[in-house]
Amino acid sequence: MKALAVTDIAKFELQDIDIPKPTEEEVLIKVSYVGVCGSDLPRYFEGGVHQYPQILGHEFSGIVTEVGKNVTNLKKGDRVAVAPLVPCNHCEQCKSGHPQLCLNYSFIGSRRPGAMAEYVTAPEENCLFVPENLDLKIAATIEPLTVAIHGLERVQTYAGQKSLVLGAGTIGLMTVLALKARGVGEITVVDLNPHKLEIAKKIGADNIVNPLKENLDEYFKENGLADLVLETAGNHITQVQAVQYANRKASVVFIGTCTKPIEFEPEQFELILRRELELKGSWMSYSAPFPGFEWEAALRYLATGEVDTTPLITGIYSLEDKALPLEKMREKDTKEVKVLYEIGGQENG
């Protein structure tokens, strides 16, 4: 089979390798579409992989072509979306119903071969059956939607809640979609990229704010603070702003992963006390029974059309394009949000 493997820092090779064999509890999947996640960028450009070579790709859909002998709920020809986390199922966190906090997990596309290939194996329990009415292209966007849903579930939400999303990347825009489905109140999105802000407006944001054009302090002084803040950019500046622009008794959820030190001035940090803020971290997108209600909810949202991720899909590439989609994602003021490699497409297994 063809597989796109990272073989060194900023180096992809399109290789011909053997089709993997599923274990007794696994299935073999012919990959239809696989998305590029922001976390794949440091894996490719900065050597952030566990070993070389590494096949990336953890947001994917496909068709089952082979099942292990102990597999009971899937058969050849089933259309599936796949949860990439492979928990150990033995540690205290797994046994207490928190697989996202597993102490000894593996991960498809990171710690084991991913879906930037024609075929990939996955445990049966990681596979969600995709109904016929749901496009496999859309099914490949389930994973980032579950991240947004998990973040919302970390706090109490309510109708009419004034919400602020910091960051309009894939997770930020998925968060807007999840907020709309949840039925909260006014949604404001902040980002530096005008193209992504326009998509945010298109999918349901009430207000979009570009700090390059508007002073945020003045904006929130005039328009009021937020009752719910979701930080999705993973930026050391927006993680401070998440506290600054939170109202009294507000909930703040940190979803984005930061790579730089975060510095609070004393008066900024004191806002956590003075406003009695609720701060929550959100990690990945799983719960019990595995893979979790986040995945069932995301699948239902997409299958019913209650959530439409189509506007977020901005580019479709082939494995032969190698690093082109990743390079485009890194461009300043990029128009790319969710880019996919089309591998098997919609064809039957």
Side-chain angles (χ1 to χ4, degrees):
M1 69 171 185
K2 291 180 182 177
L4 190 59
V6 183
T7 57
D8 204 340
I9 294 176
K11 186 177 181 181
F12 264 144
E13 287 185 15
L14 190 58
Q15 301 178 337
D16 284 313
I17 62 174
D18 291 338
I19 295 174
K21 292 292 294 183
T23 67
E24 295 178 349
E25 286 75 31
E26 292 181 338
V27 298
L28 179 66
I29 299 165
K30 185 175 185 181
V31 180
S32 295
Y33 296 90
V34 57
V36 179
C37 176
S39 65
D40 289 325
L41 300 185
R43 292 185 181 118
Y44 174 74
F45 288 108
E46 301 168 21
V49 294
H50 292 276
Q51 67 277 320
Y52 290 117
Q54 175 64 56
I55 302 171
L56 304 180
H58 61 267
E59 306 174 2
F60 65 101
S61 62
I63 298 166
V64 174
T65 60
E66 186 180 339
V67 299
K69 72 175 187 178
N70 293 337
V71 172
T72 57
N73 295 319
L74 292 171
K75 65 183 185 303
K76 183 178 178 179
D78 282 348
R79 306 162 81 245
V80 293
V82 182
L85 178 71
V86 184
C88 74
N89 293 324
H90 299 296
C91 72
E92 58 183 291
Q93 296 299 328
C94 285
K95 288 184 176 180
S96 60
H98 305 293
Q100 78 278 17
L101 303 178
C102 175
L103 303 175
N104 305 293
Y105 68 89
S106 186
F107 200 86
I108 298 170
S110 169
R111 297 167 186 254
R112 58 183 275 175
M116 290 185 188
E118 291 181 304
Y119 293 89
V120 65
T121 57
E124 177 187 21
E125 69 172 357
N126 289 61
C127 299
L128 288 85
F129 181 79
V130 174
E132 287 294 331
N133 69 311
L134 180 57
D135 191 312
L136 286 170
K137 187 187 308 176
I138 302 302
T141 67
I142 286 180
E143 195 271 349
L145 180 57
T146 67
V147 172
I149 293 171
H150 185 80
L152 289 185
E153 287 294 333
R154 296 290 291 130
V155 293
Q156 183 175 357
T157 58
Y158 54 86
Q161 195 172 26
K162 194 171 184 178
S163 303
L164 168 63
V165 178
L166 293 167
T170 297
I171 301 302
L173 294 172
M174 291 288 186
T175 300
V176 173
L177 291 171
L179 286 166
K180 294 294 290 186
R182 186 64 60 91
V184 301
E186 182 180 276
I187 302 170
T188 299
V189 178
V190 174
D191 199 276
L192 300 172
N193 186 309
H195 309 296
K196 294 180 180 180
L197 286 174
E198 285 305 314
I199 294 176
K201 189 73 172 177
K202 180 179 179 180
I203 65 174
D206 298 284
N207 310 301
I208 53 174
V209 187
N210 189 331
L212 297 177
K213 298 180 179 180
E214 296 186 65
N215 182 290
L216 291 186
D217 289 344
E218 293 178 4
Y219 178 87
F220 287 104
K221 184 177 181 180
E222 181 179 337
N223 294 280
L225 300 171
D227 304 313
L228 171 62
V229 182
L230 299 119
E231 199 289 325
T232 71
N235 183 280
H236 62 292
I237 295 173
T238 52
Q239 289 183 326
V240 174
Q241 292 172 340
V243 170
Q244 284 181 282
Y245 304 131
N247 206 353
R248 287 165 175 78
K249 289 288 186 181
S251 297
V252 181
V253 184
F254 294 98
I255 302 174
T257 304
C258 194
T259 58
K260 294 183 180 180
I262 304 162
E263 297 182 4
F264 285 87
E265 295 297 331
E267 60 271 18
Q268 294 172 329
F269 190 85
E270 193 174 325
L271 293 174
I272 300 171
L273 287 65
R274 286 185 173 274
R275 295 177 181 172
E276 294 195 349
L277 301 181
E278 176 188 26
L279 272 60
K280 291 288 184 77
S282 180
W283 186 244
M284 293 197 283
S285 58
Y286 303 90
S287 56
F290 187 82
F293 66 85
E294 299 93 337
W295 290 80
E296 297 296 337
L299 185 64
R300 184 181 65 79
Y301 280 150
L302 294 174
T304 60
E306 193 170 352
V307 166
D308 182 11
T309 58
T310 305
L312 276 59
I313 300 173
T314 52
I316 296 180
Y317 299 83
S318 69
L319 291 181
E320 285 75 14
D321 289 316
K322 296 186 178 179
L324 180 61
L326 286 78
E327 291 165 353
K328 285 187 170 293
M329 287 174 66
R330 244 190 9 164
E331 290 175 356
K332 181 177 171 59
D333 289 334
T334 179
K335 294 183 179 181
E336 302 288 15
V337 177
K338 179 49 59 188
V339 298
L340 306 175
Y341 288 101
E342 181 177 359
I343 302 176
Q346 306 291 341
E347 66 186 49
N348 293 323

